[in-house]
Amino acid sequence: DYPNVAVSLNNLALLLHDAGKPGTLPTDADGRRHFYGHELAGAALAEKTLRAGKYPVAVARAVMVLIRHHLRAANLVRGEGGARSARRYAAAVGEWFPGGLALAVADRLAARGPESTAAPADLLAHCRRLAHQWFARRDERGPPQLLNGHEVMKLFPALPGPKVGAL
């Protein structure tokens, strides 16, 4: 509903998504470097950075979700995993699914620059298909449930059960 907000969140996530790499750079026995766990370290660092910058908590959480799961999105963008993986990723990131795909495409294309073997048109077409499927499933489900019955009962303990159900 607010495209500028989504773009700003994606820009923050894109800027900070690999911030955890320096702290997760071990070298294996063969001399190869890995960044195992950088997505978790990056999410924590992004939260700390955004909170220090006085960003709203909701912004920090959304950026953290995108960063924490950006490798899962990258796998989807590369065509790894199927519909089940896409559903699990969608459940993890919720409304930020399309933004997560955009982050993964940008990351993939920027990782190797002009030497990238990824064909931008193919990546974008695949992401477009995934996003269309996500929007179709979202439209079938309707709007998200804001509160469940237990939460309503905590807010309004005097209401009897049938009235809570009507809410």
Side-chain angles (χ1 to χ4, degrees), residues 64-142:
M64 281 177 41
V65 165
L66 287 169
I67 292 172
R68 184 180 305 127
H69 298 288
H70 81 273
L71 293 181
R72 293 172 74 181
N75 291 339
L76 288 175
V77 166
R78 284 194 303 267
E80 297 173 10
R84 186 175 181 186
S85 295
R87 285 191 304 272
R88 286 182 175 174
Y89 174 69
V93 299
E95 66 185 300
W96 304 114
F97 183 89
L101 294 179
L103 170 63
V105 168
D107 189 31
R108 174 110 168 123
L109 294 174
R112 294 177 188 87
E115 297 175 10
S116 177
T117 58
D122 293 341
L123 286 175
L124 293 173
H126 180 60
C127 286
R128 196 172 296 117
R129 283 190 299 275
L130 290 170
H132 282 296
Q133 292 168 3
W134 179 81
F135 279 112
R137 281 193 305 274
R138 185 190 71 170
D139 292 344
E140 289 170 6
R141 287 190 304 266

Side-chain angles (χ1 to χ4, degrees), residues 3 6 33 47 52 72 135-136 144 159:
R33 294 179 169 190
E47 178 185 28
R72 293 172 74 181
F135 279 112
L159 284 178

Side-chain angles (χ1 to χ4, degrees), residues 6-22:
V7 168
S8 297
L9 290 173
N10 262 40
N11 288 345
L12 287 168
L14 190 56
L15 178 67
L16 298 169
H17 79 280
D18 281 341
K21 280 188 171 182

